[in-house]
Amino acid sequence: MSELVTLLVQAGAILGGLGLAVGVMLVVASKKFKVETNPLVDEIVEVLPGANCGACGYAGCADFAERVVNEGAPINGCPVGGFDVAKEIGGILGQEVAEGEEQYPFVRCNGGLNCVDRFEYVGFEDCKAVMMLSDGEKGCNYGCMGRGTCVRACPFDALSIGEDRLPHVNKNLCTSCGLCIASCPNDILVFAKESEKVHVLCMSHDKGKAVKESCTVGCIGCKICEKNCPEEAITVTKFLAEIDQDKCTACGICVEKCPQNTIAIR
């Protein structure tokens, strides 16, 4: 019995000694290989929203903060935090930041139920999945599939698919992170400034006859809007009207003249 006790004591002493040695080694290693971090990085991380959504183009909030301090990344690069966060970062770094105009994702398609379906799709509710089948079920290859890929991409629940089978943006929840825009396989979602009121709700470059066969509200490239715009703010290129927002005064003439109701004031 005494021999067993002696062995246990010896084993405990050996293990204790090993534990102490390893502990000392870890302390020495932590001091020797310690990576010094700039305290400014920690300060910036504190003011960031912490969404880690990657909308800034970096791996997360901490990575963005490091890039700002160490690589000169733009201090207004966090779309979720917006101007308020950019201003706080500027205060930390002693830089001024100009306030930009707010912009939100805008759906450049009014097809939805106005666009014919070429076939009935039964499968996973995802726009990219639908487009793997002959470029989608819609008669228009440029239009919104309405399967909610953008909705699922939004970490802030700011999008929803309406009864018109089109995505709708809740500006009260939207942070303009741009993840919905990046997720859209047809590039239907684009950023639009609050001051930009007149929009062409179509992305099709098909000829007029083909557009009319597939969608009742698609642009047919008739150039009526271009000819009637007093500010010469509209040009039709490849059968699609485009508005120069710098010239547009939102007079509404193009909206009234458009035979397809493709142009709208929003």
Side-chain angles (χ1 to χ4, degrees):
M1 186 69 178
S2 60
E3 292 181 0
L4 179 60
V5 172
T6 301
L7 289 173
L8 290 174
V9 171
Q10 290 176 344
I14 293 172
L15 290 174
L18 287 173
L20 179 61
V22 171
V24 172
M25 291 173 63
L26 289 174
V27 171
V28 173
S30 66
K31 291 183 177 180
K32 184 175 182 179
F33 299 106
K34 181 181 179 181
V35 178
E36 296 293 337
T37 59
N38 193 320
L40 293 176
V41 173
D42 295 330
E43 289 187 52
I44 293 176
V45 169
E46 287 297 317
V47 303
L48 290 172
N52 289 312
C53 59
C56 58
Y58 301 110
C61 294
D63 188 29
F64 170 68
E66 290 183 8
R67 302 298 183 105
V68 169
V69 174
N70 299 322
E71 299 180 14
I75 61 178
N76 60 351
C78 175
V80 177
F83 175 72
D84 291 337
V85 167
K87 188 175 181 180
E88 289 193 63
I89 296 175
I92 294 171
L93 300 178
Q95 300 179 21
E96 292 187 4
V97 56
E99 184 173 6
E101 184 180 355
E102 289 188 343
Q103 57 181 9
Y104 296 95
F106 185 82
V107 184
R108 275 204 60 179
C109 176
N110 201 28
L113 296 178
N114 297 309
C115 185
V116 300
D117 292 336
R118 295 187 293 120
F119 57 85
E120 182 180 357
Y121 172 77
V122 178
F124 182 60
E125 287 292 306
D126 181 79
C127 300
K128 295 177 181 178
V130 178
M131 290 192 67
M132 293 177 68
L133 300 174
S134 302
D135 292 328
E137 64 186 318
K138 290 294 184 182
C140 174
N141 292 335
Y142 300 89
C144 175
M145 298 291 107
R147 298 291 175 173
T149 299
C150 55
V151 174
R152 289 183 290 277
C154 178
F156 306 101
D157 296 326
L159 282 93
S160 60
I161 299 296
E163 294 182 358
D164 55 2
R165 289 183 62 186
L166 292 169
H168 295 265
V169 180
N170 184 336
K171 292 182 180 180
N172 294 324
L173 297 177
C174 179
T175 62
S176 300
C177 69
L179 293 179
C180 59
I181 293 176
S183 73
C184 179
N186 258 1
D187 298 324
I188 295 301
L189 284 158
V190 296
F191 273 126
K193 297 178 181 178
E194 280 287 273
S195 61
E196 298 173 351
K197 300 299 183 183
V198 185
H199 300 275
V200 178
L201 304 181
C202 183
M203 297 286 282
S204 175
H205 287 285
D206 287 339
K207 293 182 179 180
K209 183 176 183 295
V211 172
K212 282 190 172 183
E213 290 175 351
S214 63
C215 183
T216 59
V217 293
C219 179
I220 56 176
C222 63
K223 295 192 175 184
I224 291 177
C225 56
E226 179 180 295
K227 295 173 183 177
N228 284 275
C229 178
E231 306 299 331
E232 298 183 348
I234 303 177
T235 55
V236 176
T237 306
K238 294 182 179 180
F239 309 104
L240 180 64
E242 295 286 350
I243 298 175
D244 185 336
Q245 297 293 347
D246 292 330
K247 294 181 179 180
C248 179
T249 60
C251 66
I253 294 177
C254 58
V255 178
E256 296 175 3
K257 296 290 184 178
C258 179
Q260 290 287 100
N261 295 317
T262 307
I263 306 176
I265 295 179
R266 295 290 175 90

